[in-house]
């Protein structure tokens, strides 16, 4: 239960970081470029926060290199969601990433736990 709550707290910090970066980059980049750059930078921060606080495991190069796999599904869902909200539904690009990211949270937790913890625990 502690892991789930900590993962959620890290997720809130990560989402806030992502969203602030997205809005910053949106001032000079197209929305998809802003989304990709903000997502990538926030993912690096998420790796270190989850290693330290959620899973209490030392960060290693192996885990760091595998960690992006935990976000592939998240990335695909949020990118498709941002596109759907902005280009198909014409709902605007400022809040689209927040709405699109909600559906990917459970999958990201399961896969990140698999990457970050030894196989006998995960």
């Amino acid at each position: 239960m502690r892991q789930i709550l900590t993962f959620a707290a890290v997720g809130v910090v990560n989402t806030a970081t992502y969203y602030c970066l997205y809005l910053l980059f949106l001032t000079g980049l197209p929305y998809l470029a802003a989304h990709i750059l903000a997502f990538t930078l926030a993912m690096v921060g998420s790796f270190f926060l989850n290693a330290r606080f959620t899973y209490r495991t030392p960060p290693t190069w192996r885990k760091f290199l595998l960690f992006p796999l935990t976000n592939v599904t998240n990335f695909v869902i949020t990118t498709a969601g941002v596109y759907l909200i902005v280009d198909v539904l014409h709902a605007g690009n400022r809040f689209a990433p927040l709405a699109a990211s909600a559906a990917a949270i459970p999958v990201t937790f399961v896969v990140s736990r698999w990457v970050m913890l030894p196989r006998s625990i995960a």
Side-chain angles (χ1 to χ4, degrees):
M1 183 54 106
R2 182 202 62 78
Q3 280 183 349
I4 293 171
L5 294 175
T6 306
F7 184 81
V10 167
V12 168
V13 170
N14 187 53
T15 301
T17 301
Y18 160 78
Y19 191 58
C20 289
L21 289 171
Y22 173 75
L23 292 177
L24 175 69
F25 297 145
L26 195 58
T27 63
L29 297 172
Y31 77 90
L32 280 177
H35 165 67
I36 291 167
L37 186 55
F39 190 93
T40 302
L41 292 173
M43 184 173 53
V44 170
S46 178
F47 168 75
F48 288 105
L49 290 173
N50 276 303
R52 171 69 176 96
F53 297 107
T54 304
Y55 302 112
R56 298 180 182 177
T57 185
T60 64
W61 279 110
R62 181 184 180 281
K63 291 174 189 174
F64 182 76
L65 295 173
L66 287 174
F67 193 75
L69 297 176
T70 70
N71 288 293
V72 168
T73 300
N74 184 322
F75 181 77
V76 169
I77 291 170
T78 58
T79 302
V82 167
Y83 173 79
L84 177 71
I85 292 166
V86 174
D87 284 344
V88 176
L89 301 176
H90 306 289
N93 60 14
R94 295 190 71 75
F95 295 105
L98 297 177
S101 66
I105 293 169
V107 175
T108 303
F109 174 74
V110 169
V111 178
S112 71
R113 183 174 163 84
W114 178 79
V115 166
M116 298 297 278
L117 295 178
R119 300 297 179 254
S120 61
I121 296 174

